[in-house]
Amino acid sequence: MTSRVALLLAMVVCLLGTQARAEDLVTALSSDEVSIQSNFTGTEIVIFGQISRDLNTIARPGIYDLAITVEGPAQDITTRRKGRFLGVWVNREHETFQGVPSFYALASTRSVGELADRDLLDEYAIGLHHLNLAVSGYSGVPLSERDDFRNAFLRLRQQQGLYSERPQSIEFLTETMFRTKVPLPANIPVGQYKVKSYLLQDGGLLSAKESDLTVAKSGFEQVTYNLANNYSLIYGLLAVTLAIFTGWLAGVIFRRD
């Protein structure tokens, strides 16, 4: 008898788990690679998809929420605060944030605070104020002032167009099909990006998907970028040689008899 009860309980748990995973996300990008050339002034990518549902499962009441994030490669970024020293404004205290996204954009159906509770938003880094901005091991900034540096960091990144939140920017084409546009500024860093999509309802996470996006220089820009980053000595010698040759050529052309 006990074994039958245990078997029934296991079946119930299994069925409940299947129902909890009844919804799934299918997403795609308009392009999985962005090429940066000398005339690049920014662009945008379109993210679209559909909420698929198990036909054997009863539809949930209520509406779905979506949150889509685009994260650039991690970087160490330093934020500095200026202060007066002998009547001159100079850099004083600074805080280095380690392994933070070089680019971050959020598109959502509602404002971040309405999507879920803080723990879930923190866990999946949904929203600017839920990013894990870890500081370096050494910091000369008092604990009481670290929030000021964090807020300044977020504000500066937003001013540069590298961080953004766009609530109510996901458009539902049908009850289950959706799309959104994510602008990419001209100063976007190169590297491998992660596009993460989250399906939520009543504050709970139903499904999540992740896609890759590549941002890379192309043509002559790619050659100079590789030289500058991977062969700095050769790049420096070429730059000096080109400068000398340009100066000599200008002297020949504009030489007066």
Side-chain angles (χ1 to χ4, degrees):
M1 186 66 177
T2 303
S3 60
R4 290 183 179 180
V5 172
L7 179 60
L8 288 174
L9 288 174
M11 292 177 63
V12 170
V13 171
C14 182
L15 289 173
L16 288 175
T18 302
Q19 184 175 4
R21 295 188 298 271
E23 292 88 350
D24 198 7
L25 275 176
V26 180
T27 60
L29 308 178
S30 58
S31 175
D32 58 5
E33 184 172 350
V34 175
S35 297
I36 297 179
Q37 300 179 349
S38 58
N39 59 348
F40 181 76
T41 58
T43 185
E44 64 181 13
I45 58 171
V46 179
I47 304 169
F48 53 93
Q50 183 174 14
I51 303 170
S52 62
R53 187 165 52 224
D54 185 359
L55 297 178
N56 297 323
T57 304
I58 300 175
R60 301 172 190 266
I63 60 174
Y64 294 114
D65 280 313
L66 285 165
I68 299 175
T69 64
V70 180
E71 296 184 18
Q75 291 182 344
D76 294 345
I77 302 175
T78 300
T79 299
R80 303 180 186 277
R81 180 166 60 187
K82 290 184 178 294
R84 279 188 176 276
F85 179 73
L86 299 178
V88 180
W89 287 97
V90 296
N91 290 326
R92 302 298 293 269
E93 299 90 352
H94 69 275
E95 190 80 279
T96 299
F97 298 95
Q98 293 183 320
V100 297
S102 56
F103 177 86
Y104 181 91
L106 167 71
S108 59
T109 50
R110 293 194 286 174
S111 61
V112 174
E114 297 176 321
L115 296 175
D117 59 29
R118 186 179 185 86
D119 290 340
L120 189 146
L121 298 175
D122 287 343
E123 180 179 358
Y124 294 98
I126 302 175
L128 293 179
H129 294 284
H130 299 279
L131 292 175
N132 180 22
L133 302 181
V135 299
S136 61
Y138 169 77
S139 174
V141 178
L143 289 175
S144 59
E145 299 181 10
R146 288 191 175 181
D147 283 344
D148 295 337
F149 276 83
R150 178 189 176 96
N151 293 331
F153 169 80
L154 293 175
R155 184 178 66 255
L156 290 172
R157 302 299 283 182
Q158 287 178 282
Q159 291 175 356
Q160 296 166 357
L162 296 174
Y163 278 22
S164 65
E165 275 187 11
R166 299 168 57 243
Q168 300 178 348
S169 60
I170 298 179
E171 176 187 7
F172 271 94
L173 306 176
T174 67
E175 291 185 356
T176 58
M177 295 182 64
F178 60 89
R179 74 170 182 176
T180 188
K181 297 179 180 179
V182 177
L184 305 178
N187 57 338
I188 185 171
V190 299
Q192 293 295 321
Y193 285 61
K194 296 295 183 182
V195 181
K196 302 177 183 179
S197 304
Y198 303 96
L199 176 64
L200 307 106
Q201 189 179 58
D202 297 331
L205 181 64
L206 303 181
S207 181
K209 281 291 182 292
E210 182 176 310
S211 305
D212 293 325
L213 172 68
T214 301
V215 178
K217 296 181 182 292
S218 61
F220 179 74
E221 289 76 16
Q222 178 65 26
V223 174
T224 56
Y225 178 83
N226 286 336
L227 281 175
N229 286 272
N230 300 323
Y231 306 97
S232 56
L233 179 59
I234 297 176
Y235 177 80
L237 292 174
L238 287 175
V240 171
T241 302
L242 181 61
I244 295 174
F245 174 77
T246 303
W248 171 82
L249 183 62
V252 172
I253 294 175
F254 296 103
R255 180 183 299 167
R256 295 181 178 179
D257 295 332

